[in-house]
Amino acid sequence: WLASRAAHNGLCLTHLNHPKRLGTFLWSGGHSVPAWRQPEPDAFSAEWFVPAGTICRKIVELKDSEGWQVVDDFLPNDKDFDGEFTVRWQFAPGTNLERIEDRRFRIEREGFMMIVEASEDWETVLAAGRPDDEASADVEHRHAGLVSPSFRVTKPAPFLLLTAQAGYKPCVFSTTFLASAPR
């Protein structure tokens, strides 16, 4: 689980296992080298290719609100493609995750706080801060939320799991991270 694509803060196609894990530190191959661009002075984007299409991520600095917006998308090769993708925002052990609205969360750790907002285009937004939370009972893997802060140490930690349908529709799947002053 800890080495899987689904366990990390990135876009994951739920039906695609590429590259396939063959063993400890052994993979069937790699994904393409991401094509990095800076489309605007305060933004960076990357695209990389997988057998089913193109994974896209754009990160934009929000000057007025002191934060970042992450925009994720998957562009399938086949216009009749029907599949889903997820983005897991995995936080560190000791982080407090609190839902303050349907798609708005307060994240606190070591006296610092930020607000995380998921756009309306995400089909589902699940939050798991404790083992009995909604996402903990409904996720794809029994180790969901387990992290390794150091060698041979694992600890549970909160996360957000965002799910969307991939395909040819004009959606912006974004997550906004807004900074807050230390407490």
Side-chain angles (χ1 to χ4, degrees):
W1 169 253
L2 292 174
S4 72
R5 181 180 308 277
H8 293 82
N9 295 334
L11 190 140
C12 177
L13 296 166
T14 56
H15 65 283
L16 178 69
N17 188 12
H18 176 79
K20 185 175 181 175
R21 187 160 189 229
L22 302 174
T24 306
F25 303 110
L26 182 61
W27 297 88
S28 63
H31 57 70
S32 65
V33 176
W36 288 93
R37 291 182 281 135
Q38 188 172 5
E40 306 156 28
D42 299 325
F44 291 91
S45 66
E47 294 180 346
W48 57 101
F49 306 101
V50 295
T54 305
I55 294 174
C56 307
R57 174 165 274 183
K58 181 179 178 183
I59 302 172
V60 181
E61 182 180 4
L62 304 173
K63 296 256 185 208
D64 294 341
S65 57
E66 295 186 7
W68 297 89
Q69 184 174 60
V70 179
V71 179
D72 290 302
D73 204 358
F74 173 69
L75 305 171
N77 292 334
D78 180 0
K79 68 177 182 172
D80 296 324
F81 178 87
D82 186 27
E84 71 176 20
F85 66 87
T86 63
V87 170
R88 176 185 313 276
W89 294 110
Q90 179 67 63
F91 303 103
T95 301
N96 183 41
L97 168 64
E98 177 188 351
R99 184 185 300 265
I100 52 180
E101 290 177 16
D102 183 42
R103 294 170 178 265
R104 188 175 168 97
F105 303 86
R106 179 180 295 115
I107 309 296
E108 292 187 62
R109 185 168 182 261
E110 296 181 359
F112 291 89
M113 183 186 78
M114 73 175 157
I115 301 297
V116 180
E117 299 173 345
S119 71
E120 292 296 322
D121 290 308
W122 292 105
E123 287 186 35
T124 60
V125 178
L126 298 176
R130 299 176 308 277
D132 60 342
D133 280 344
E134 61 182 287
S136 298
D138 194 36
V139 293
E140 72 287 9
H141 198 279
R142 65 186 179 95
H143 294 302
L146 192 66
V147 300
S148 181
S150 61
F151 185 65
R152 292 191 178 191
V153 174
T154 57
K155 292 184 177 184
F159 64 90
L160 294 175
L161 182 63
L162 313 178
T163 305
Q165 291 299 313
Y168 285 88
K169 60 181 182 176
C171 294
V172 176
F173 301 102
S174 67
T175 311
T176 305
F177 297 85
L178 301 170
S180 181
R183 286 186 166 216

